[in-house]
Amino acid sequence: MTVGSAVPAAGPARDAAVDVYGELVFVRRFLEKVHALYRQGHVHGPAHVGIGQEAIAVGVARALRPEDRSIGTYRGHAHALARGAPPDAVLRELLGREGGICAGKGGSMHITSVEYGYFGSYAIVGAHLPIACGLALADQLRSAGRVTVCFFGDGTTNIGAFHEAVNLAAVWGLPVVFVCENNGYMEYTPIGDMTPVPRPAADRAGAYGLRPITVDGNDVRAVRDVTGEAVEAARAGQGPAMIEARTYRMTGHSCADPGKYQPPDEVERWAERDPLLVHRAVLVDAGVPAELVDEIDSDTRTEVDELAADILAAAPITGDNALTDMWSDGGARWRN
Amino acid sequence: MAELTYRQAVAVALAQEMARDERVVLLGEDIGSGGVFKTLTGLTERFGATRVRDTPISEQAIAGAAMGAAMAGLRPVAEIMFSDFYATCWDQVANEIAKTRYMTGGQVSLPVVIRGASGSGGLGFGSQHSQAVENWAMCVPGLKIVSPATPSDMVGLLAAAVRDDDPVLVFEHKALYSMKEEFPVEDGTDHVVPLGHARVVRPGQDVTLVGLGFSVGLCQRAAERIDQEGVHAEVLDLRCLVPLDAQRVLDSVRRTGRAVIVEENPGQLGWAAAIGSIVAEEAFDALTAPPVRVSGANVPLPVATALEAAVNPSVDDIVTAVRRVLDPAPRTLCRPGVLNPSIP
Ligand SMILES: Cc1ncc(C[n+]2csc(CCOP(=O)(O)OP(=O)(O)O)c2C)c(N)n1
Ligand SMILES: [Mg+2]
């Protein structure tokens, strides 16, 4: 597969590219809405959005089959939505309304949609890489032909769990594809200050016998194509892969962080490489009318605005489920 | 009937469960050759290296992979070789395995068992290979905690842990591995002891001695000793800290009016405090003396025989505690350091 090949002027490939644009825009508007709602005090607890990084979640999801699994971090709204998790239930979770996807118990940092193959958002840096290995192990033992994709950040490459997990995946040849979203920063510190190699994930891959794979994380088609190759190799029993996708987060670490440490010229440079702009240019090159693209933009904005307004109008959850679902019997009793 | 050791009982339980359910897989360091405590002897030969999987020395990867595999439908049994090593993967155990079912609103089940050797028992393994850490786990809602005291209970409780749909930590006391018991090894029926049911080791009416794992045997020996003085102790084996059979303890204490709770972990924050407070709050009217704990001393575990003996709870300590609760003068109970003279 050639990365970033031109989209033909008509036909299903062009339609698919338009769909991808729709997804990118939806995720962007959704994340912007979360950011705004947070700023207005409607989100209880911390929230992390990946504005600027959407092409990775969307591109990877396009390379997966419905039965494949993915797993990610507290910055995981995009990843859940990209797999098909219902935006309504995700936003209800963020706003503490009835019908939240985790029943109000997970909140922003733990969005999970097992139904759509998204096995959770984990808020301890690195913790989910070993868990991804376990998902993949189960599929390997059953020859299920399923692949697990594990998203994580550049900063995560410095915690022990990363190294334990990548080593385990490599020695067991697990069907897992690690996708590092290198957005340039851990929380407030540039990753370059904390990593002795320029590419935090790719330059470590060799230590575990993996080929370093890098991709422009702001090019949704490149992400899809590169991931697709790795996923199909894993599905065919060729073992794990390590992909480092270079990207940038256009806002602070969390919605509470104004990101003052991000130099304005750096932000500006990355704004020119905004994943929505990159893909929009592809569509326009393929002859998609600009009006159609604009329509997608404005329709999506209205859709997300209405979604949020509806949910905000509902009453907050009552809290009567605080003591449910700790155990498999549905309860939380520890003694008789 | 044949003689079964506590050590062999681990393999008997796992073989029983692996034969019954092919989703059961074992993960751990050096387990393929039977494990460093020889608790898994014969399992690779019978079930193959795919289901008895050797892992790198990566406790986070072991615990995390067990969790992921459970979410994807397997029933993994992971070994943490020495329970002290939980400290290296406590994130996986306390933050991920214990919480993910709740945190996701019940979207996933986590039928994970983590098992391994724990405790001191005077074997000289030192500060980093001897701790009884059931109390660490008891601080974390979402974990079931099992600690068998006999070979047959090892079979039955470990089997129940494997069948449980929730995470269960099984603490095997390393000083019990050579303990023997008559057990119907190959009679064809599965032996399963449901979690959450304490066992009456010995009935009695004067005082209730509550133990777990290794301390059950200490309680039994103390009970035999005071029996000669005409004091009849009831000995309870809790078997599980979670789910806790609090009713069995309360029923017993309501009859005896006295409770001595014996834990191996340091007393400064041990599980016996939780049992003691339940007794005090819920059976206060029946008590003729405050509930009393016999605990490990609040220092790291030393190695030399005499030092290790000095910090571990002993039969003597239990007998002393029983004498104290039989003497209702509360002054003597409140003085720190009296019950275990070695507590600094
Ligand atoms: C074990 C652990 N240490 C520290 C933190 C606090 N923390 C949360 S996010 C974060 C930065 C992670 O950076 P990176 O992996 O690059 O992901 P990004 O936030 O950029 O997506 C830190 C240090 C944490 N959640 N877990
Ligand atoms: Mg980062």
Side-chain angles (χ1 to χ4, degrees):
Chain A
M1 200 178 287
T2 327
V3 170
S5 51
V7 171
R14 196 179 91 165
D15 295 347
V18 173
D19 283 353
V20 166
Y21 185 73
E23 283 178 34
L24 282 173
V25 174
F26 185 85
V27 173
R28 169 66 56 85
R29 296 293 164 252
F30 188 96
L31 299 181
E32 286 175 345
K33 179 60 75 180
V34 172
H35 198 272
L37 289 168
Y38 180 91
R39 289 290 179 175
Q40 293 157 17
H42 292 300
V43 180
H44 189 59
H48 309 74
V49 293
I51 294 172
Q53 305 181 201
E54 299 88 345
I56 300 172
V58 172
V60 168
R62 284 272 160 170
L64 299 181
R65 296 182 186 167
E67 68 270 24
D68 288 335
R69 308 176 196 273
S70 52
I71 186 167
T73 75
Y74 47 89
R75 204 181 298 289
H77 308 171
H79 306 77
L81 295 175
R83 292 304 306 280
D88 177 75
V90 174
L91 197 53
R92 282 173 180 278
E93 183 70 22
L94 301 177
L95 296 175
R97 298 311 201 267
E98 215 67 59
I101 199 154
C102 297
K105 292 168 175 170
S108 173
M109 297 201 288
H110 300 297
I111 297 296
T112 301
S113 176
V114 169
E115 190 184 346
Y116 289 92
Y118 184 59
F119 278 76
S121 304
Y122 295 80
I124 306 291
V125 164
H128 62 298
L129 280 81
I131 298 168
C133 289
L135 293 169
L137 171 65
D139 293 331
Q140 183 189 55
L141 290 188
R142 290 183 298 217
S143 308
R146 284 172 150 176
V147 176
T148 296
V149 169
C150 177
F151 299 96
F152 58 96
D154 44 280
T156 304
T157 62
N158 288 331
I159 200 161
F162 167 89
H163 297 272
E164 291 196 13
V166 179
N167 181 64
L168 189 77
V171 293
W172 284 355
L174 296 175
V176 57
V177 174
F178 296 102
V179 177
C180 175
E181 301 187 45
N182 180 356
N183 61 11
Y185 288 87
M186 25 191 289
E187 272 167 333
Y188 310 148
T189 310
I191 190 60
D193 294 359
M194 293 297 150
T195 310
V197 288
R199 302 176 305 176
D203 289 336
R204 266 78 171 262
Y208 304 106
L210 303 181
R211 189 165 58 86
I213 303 172
T214 51
V215 65
D216 176 357
N218 284 17
D219 179 343
V220 68
R221 295 183 314 139
V223 170
R224 177 201 60 201
D225 294 352
V226 164
T227 309
E229 282 178 30
V231 164
E232 292 318 316
R235 203 187 305 286
Q238 292 166 31
M242 174 68 71
I243 297 174
E244 180 171 330
R246 190 68 177 94
T247 184
Y248 193 76
R249 80 169 140 68
M250 299 301 297
T251 55
H253 168 69
S254 75
C255 296
D257 167 24
K260 291 259 162 56
Y261 48 86
Q262 295 174 264
D265 60 321
E266 181 182 272
V267 177
E268 247 165 66
R269 255 184 297 123
W270 280 97
E272 287 163 18
R273 291 279 308 147
D274 184 304
L276 273 63
L277 291 181
V278 171
H279 195 58
R280 190 185 166 103
V282 169
L283 297 187
V284 172
D285 278 355
V288 177
E291 307 83 74
L292 175 65
V293 183
D294 291 341
E295 204 178 294
I296 294 173
D297 285 342
S298 65
D299 286 358
T300 309
R301 193 180 296 279
T302 313
E303 186 186 348
V304 172
D305 284 347
E306 285 173 3
L307 177 70
D310 283 354
I311 297 172
L312 277 179
I317 58 171
T318 56
D320 57 8
N321 65 337
L323 301 184
T324 66
D325 279 330
M326 185 170 79
W327 306 127
S328 52
D329 67 6
R333 286 178 66 81
W334 72 280
R335 53 162 288 201
N336 61 9
Chain B
M1 298 286 265
E3 266 198 346
L4 182 73
T5 64
Y6 187 90
R7 178 192 321 279
Q8 291 165 329
V10 176
V12 167
L14 294 173
Q16 172 185 297
E17 296 310 302
M18 292 177 83
R20 184 185 60 81
D21 185 344
E22 63 176 19
R23 296 169 302 173
V24 179
V25 297
L26 313 186
L27 311 176
E29 294 159 17
D30 304 311
I31 66 171
S33 53
V36 298
F37 288 98
K38 299 288 166 245
T39 44
L40 308 177
T41 302
L43 295 180
T44 305
E45 292 74 5
R46 182 157 170 207
F47 298 102
T50 303
R51 290 179 70 195
V52 184
R53 294 182 82 87
D54 276 327
T55 66
I57 307 164
S58 301
E59 277 72 12
Q60 298 186 66
I62 293 168
M67 167 167 166
M71 286 203 292
L74 296 185
R75 303 185 79 85
V77 180
E79 175 170 303
I80 296 297
M81 190 187 286
F82 284 80
S83 63
D84 314 68
F85 306 167
Y86 273 110
T88 67
C89 58
W90 201 237
D91 170 53
Q92 291 295 338
V93 176
N95 287 328
E96 321 302 336
I97 290 173
K99 295 181 172 52
T100 298
R101 180 183 182 88
Y102 182 85
M103 212 157 69
T104 61
Q107 289 185 58
V108 297
S109 276
L110 290 164
V112 183
V113 174
I114 308 184
R115 48 156 291 277
S118 84
S120 155
L123 300 178
F125 277 92
S127 294
Q128 298 174 340
H129 288 71
S130 300
Q131 297 167 85
V133 302
E134 293 91 344
N135 61 327
W136 298 3
M138 210 177 174
C139 295
V140 185
L143 300 173
K144 294 183 178 175
I145 306 166
V146 175
S147 191
T150 67
S152 61
D153 263 11
M154 175 60 82
V155 177
L157 291 169
L158 182 51
V162 173
R163 293 179 189 201
D164 202 280
D165 285 332
D166 295 314
V168 185
L169 307 191
V170 179
F171 294 93
E172 303 165 7
H173 201 289
K174 65 172 85 67
L176 295 178
Y177 277 138
S178 52
M179 179 186 194
K180 286 185 186 138
E181 193 183 4
E182 293 290 321
F183 185 77
V185 182
E186 302 280 5
D187 74 349
T189 53
D190 287 357
H191 182 54
V192 182
V193 173
L195 304 186
H197 296 270
R199 177 172 67 102
V200 181
V201 179
R202 179 186 197 285
Q205 69 278 0
D206 299 326
V207 56
T208 302
L209 304 183
V210 181
L212 177 78
F214 188 72
S215 77
V216 173
L218 298 177
C219 290
Q220 254 176 299
R221 293 200 333 256
E224 282 156 20
R225 200 180 309 159
I226 56 177
D227 209 48
Q228 294 154 13
E229 302 171 17
V231 178
H232 305 297
E234 178 146 304
V235 175
L236 297 184
D237 171 3
L238 286 178
R239 285 174 160 159
C240 302
L241 293 178
V242 179
L244 180 72
D245 192 355
Q247 290 311 326
R248 177 76 80 167
V249 176
L250 290 166
D251 288 350
S252 174
V253 174
R254 284 198 188 99
R255 276 185 287 103
T256 63
R258 301 175 182 93
V260 172
I261 309 144
V262 187
E263 61 188 347
E264 186 173 319
N265 53 231
Q268 63 189 31
L269 189 64
W271 56 260
I275 311 290
S277 78
I278 288 172
V279 168
E281 288 176 33
E282 299 175 37
F284 189 68
D285 50 326
L287 290 175
T288 53
V292 163
R293 296 187 295 150
V294 176
S295 311
N298 299 306
V299 291
L301 276 148
V303 172
T305 307
L307 292 175
E308 196 174 6
V311 305
N312 279 330
S314 68
V315 174
D316 283 346
D317 296 332
I318 299 170
V319 171
T320 306
V322 169
R323 297 219 171 96
R324 297 289 171 190
V325 295
L326 288 168
D327 165 9
R331 279 170 291 111
T332 57
L333 290 165
C334 298
R335 245 181 330 127
V338 165
L339 299 176
N340 181 347
S342 52
I343 291 180

